[in-house]
Coordinates of all heavy atoms in Angstrom, one line a residue:
N198 N -5.7 -2.5 -19.3 CA -5.1 -3.8 -19.8 C -4.0 -4.1 -18.7 O -2.8 -4.1 -19.1 CB -4.5 -3.7 -21.1 CG -4.2 -5.0 -21.7 OD1 -4.4 -6.1 -21.1 ND2 -3.7 -5.1 -23.0
I199 N -4.4 -4.4 -17.5 CA -3.5 -4.8 -16.4 C -3.8 -6.2 -15.9 O -4.9 -6.6 -16.1 CB -3.5 -3.7 -15.4 CG1 -4.9 -3.5 -14.8 CG2 -2.8 -2.5 -15.9 CD1 -5.0 -2.5 -13.7
K200 N -2.8 -6.7 -15.2 CA -3.0 -8.1 -14.6 C -2.4 -8.0 -13.2 O -1.6 -7.1 -12.9 CB -2.4 -9.2 -15.4 CG -0.9 -9.1 -15.5 CD -0.2 -10.1 -16.4 CE 1.3 -9.9 -16.5 NZ 1.9 -10.9 -17.3
Y201 N -2.9 -8.9 -12.3 CA -2.3 -8.9 -11.0 C -0.8 -9.2 -11.0 O -0.3 -10.0 -11.8 CB -3.0 -10.0 -10.2 CG -4.3 -9.6 -9.4 CD1 -5.4 -10.2 -9.8 CD2 -4.3 -8.5 -8.6 CE1 -6.6 -9.8 -9.2 CE2 -5.4 -8.1 -8.0 CZ -6.6 -8.8 -8.3 OH -7.8 -8.4 -7.7
A202 N -0.1 -8.6 -10.1 CA 1.3 -8.9 -10.0 C 1.5 -10.3 -9.5 O 0.8 -10.9 -8.8 CB 2.0 -7.9 -9.0
N203 N 2.7 -10.9 -9.9 CA 3.1 -12.2 -9.6 C 3.8 -12.2 -8.2 O 4.9 -12.4 -8.1 CB 4.0 -12.8 -10.6 CG 4.3 -14.3 -10.3 OD1 3.6 -14.9 -9.6 ND2 5.4 -14.8 -10.8
D204 N 3.0 -11.9 -7.1 CA 3.5 -11.8 -5.7 C 2.6 -12.5 -4.7 O 1.5 -12.9 -5.1 CB 3.9 -10.4 -5.4 CG 2.6 -9.6 -5.3 OD1 1.4 -10.0 -5.3 OD2 2.7 -8.3 -5.4
S205 N 3.1 -12.5 -3.5 CA 2.3 -13.2 -2.5 C 1.0 -12.6 -2.1 O 0.0 -13.3 -1.8 CB 3.1 -13.3 -1.2 OG 4.3 -14.1 -1.4
N206 N 0.9 -11.3 -2.3 CA -0.4 -10.6 -2.1 C -1.4 -11.2 -3.1 O -2.6 -11.5 -2.7 CB -0.2 -9.1 -2.4 CG 0.6 -8.3 -1.4 OD1 0.5 -8.6 -0.1 ND2 1.4 -7.4 -1.8
S207 N -1.1 -11.3 -4.3 CA -2.0 -11.7 -5.3 C -2.3 -13.2 -5.2 O -3.5 -13.6 -5.3 CB -1.5 -11.5 -6.8 OG -1.3 -10.1 -7.0
H208 N -1.3 -14.0 -4.9 CA -1.5 -15.4 -4.7 C -2.5 -15.7 -3.6 O -3.3 -16.5 -3.7 CB -0.2 -16.2 -4.5 CG 0.7 -16.1 -5.7 ND1 0.3 -16.3 -7.0 CD2 2.0 -15.7 -5.8 CE1 1.3 -16.2 -7.8 NE2 2.4 -15.8 -7.1
T209 N -2.3 -15.0 -2.5 CA -3.2 -15.2 -1.3 C -4.7 -14.8 -1.7 O -5.6 -15.6 -1.4 CB -2.7 -14.3 -0.1 OG1 -1.4 -14.6 0.2 CG2 -3.6 -14.4 1.1
Q210 N -4.9 -13.6 -2.4 CA -6.1 -13.1 -2.8 C -6.7 -14.1 -3.8 O -7.9 -14.5 -3.7 CB -6.0 -11.8 -3.3 CG -7.4 -11.1 -3.6 CD -7.8 -11.2 -5.0 OE1 -7.0 -11.6 -5.9 NE2 -9.1 -11.1 -5.2
Q211 N -5.9 -14.5 -4.7 CA -6.5 -15.4 -5.8 C -7.0 -16.8 -5.3 O -8.0 -17.4 -5.7 CB -5.5 -15.6 -7.0 CG -5.3 -14.3 -7.8 CD -4.0 -14.3 -8.5 OE1 -3.3 -15.3 -8.5 NE2 -3.6 -13.3 -9.2
Y212 N -6.2 -17.4 -4.3 CA -6.5 -18.7 -3.8 C -7.8 -18.6 -2.9 O -8.6 -19.5 -3.0 CB -5.3 -19.2 -3.0 CG -5.4 -20.7 -2.7 CD1 -4.9 -21.6 -3.8 CD2 -6.0 -21.3 -1.7 CE1 -5.1 -23.0 -3.7 CE2 -6.1 -22.6 -1.6 CZ -5.6 -23.5 -2.5 OH -5.7 -24.9 -2.4
I213 N -7.9 -17.6 -2.2 CA -9.1 -17.3 -1.4 C -10.4 -17.2 -2.3 O -11.4 -17.8 -2.1 CB -9.0 -16.3 -0.3 CG1 -7.9 -16.6 0.7 CG2 -10.4 -16.0 0.4 CD1 -7.6 -15.5 1.7
E214 N -10.2 -16.5 -3.4 CA -11.2 -16.3 -4.4 C -11.6 -17.6 -5.0 O -12.7 -17.9 -5.2 CB -10.8 -15.3 -5.5 CG -10.8 -13.8 -5.1 CD -12.2 -13.4 -4.9 OE1 -13.2 -13.9 -5.6 OE2 -12.4 -12.4 -4.1
L215 N -10.6 -18.4 -5.4 CA -10.8 -19.8 -5.9 C -11.7 -20.5 -4.9 O -12.7 -21.2 -5.3 CB -9.5 -20.5 -6.1 CG -9.5 -22.0 -6.2 CD1 -10.3 -22.3 -7.5 CD2 -8.1 -22.5 -6.3
C216 N -11.3 -20.5 -3.6 CA -12.1 -21.4 -2.6 C -13.5 -20.8 -2.4 O -14.4 -21.6 -2.2 CB -11.3 -21.3 -1.3 SG -9.8 -22.2 -1.3
K217 N -13.6 -19.5 -2.4 CA -15.0 -18.9 -2.3 C -15.9 -19.4 -3.5 O -17.1 -19.8 -3.4 CB -14.9 -17.4 -2.3 CG -14.5 -16.8 -1.0 CD -14.1 -15.4 -1.0 CE -15.2 -14.6 -1.5 NZ -14.7 -13.1 -1.6
D218 N -15.3 -19.3 -4.7 CA -16.1 -19.6 -5.9 C -16.4 -21.1 -5.9 O -17.5 -21.6 -6.3 CB -15.4 -19.3 -7.2 CG -15.4 -17.8 -7.4 OD1 -15.9 -17.0 -6.5 OD2 -14.8 -17.3 -8.4
F219 N -15.5 -22.0 -5.6 CA -15.6 -23.4 -5.5 C -16.7 -23.7 -4.4 O -17.6 -24.6 -4.7 CB -14.3 -24.1 -5.0 CG -14.4 -25.5 -4.8 CD1 -14.5 -26.6 -5.9 CD2 -14.5 -26.0 -3.5 CE1 -14.6 -27.8 -5.6 CE2 -14.6 -27.4 -3.2 CZ -14.6 -28.3 -4.3
S220 N -16.7 -23.1 -3.2 CA -17.7 -23.4 -2.3 C -19.1 -23.0 -2.8 O -20.1 -23.7 -2.4 CB -17.4 -22.6 -1.0 OG -17.7 -21.2 -1.1
S221 N -19.2 -21.9 -3.6 CA -20.5 -21.5 -4.1 C -21.0 -22.4 -5.3 O -22.1 -22.8 -5.2 CB -20.5 -20.1 -4.5 OG -21.6 -19.6 -5.1
D222 N -20.1 -22.7 -6.2 CA -20.5 -23.3 -7.4 C -20.6 -24.8 -7.2 O -21.5 -25.4 -7.9 CB -19.5 -23.0 -8.5 CG -19.6 -21.5 -8.9 OD1 -20.5 -20.8 -8.5 OD2 -18.5 -21.1 -9.6
I223 N -19.8 -25.4 -6.3 CA -19.7 -26.9 -6.2 C -20.3 -27.4 -4.9 O -21.4 -28.1 -4.9 CB -18.3 -27.5 -6.4 CG1 -17.7 -26.9 -7.7 CG2 -18.3 -28.9 -6.3 CD1 -18.4 -27.4 -8.9
L224 N -19.8 -26.9 -3.8 CA -20.2 -27.4 -2.5 C -21.6 -27.0 -2.2 O -22.5 -27.8 -1.7 CB -19.3 -26.9 -1.4 CG -17.8 -27.4 -1.5 CD1 -17.0 -26.8 -0.3 CD2 -17.8 -28.8 -1.5
K225 N -22.0 -25.7 -2.3 CA -23.3 -25.3 -2.0 C -24.4 -26.0 -2.9 O -25.5 -26.5 -2.5 CB -23.5 -23.8 -2.2 CG -24.9 -23.2 -1.9 CD -24.9 -21.7 -2.1 CE -26.3 -21.2 -1.9 NZ -26.3 -19.7 -2.1
T226 N -24.0 -26.1 -4.2 CA -24.9 -26.8 -5.1 C -25.2 -28.3 -4.8 O -26.3 -28.8 -4.9 CB -24.5 -26.6 -6.5 OG1 -24.4 -25.2 -6.8 CG2 -25.4 -27.1 -7.6
S227 N -24.1 -29.0 -4.6 CA -24.2 -30.4 -4.4 C -24.3 -30.9 -3.0 O -25.0 -32.0 -2.9 CB -22.8 -31.0 -5.0 OG -22.6 -30.7 -6.3

Side-chain angles (χ1 to χ4, degrees):
N198 193 3
I199 53 179
K200 61 181 180 179
Y201 276 120
N203 183 22
D204 59 16
S205 296
N206 290 323
S207 295
H208 297 311
T209 302
Q210 187 264 342
Q211 289 161 3
Y212 199 81
I213 295 175
E214 282 291 331
L215 162 66
C216 292
K217 284 166 57 179
D218 288 1
F219 173 76
S220 74
S221 177
D222 295 343
I223 304 299
L224 296 182
K225 180 181 177 181
T226 303
S227 302

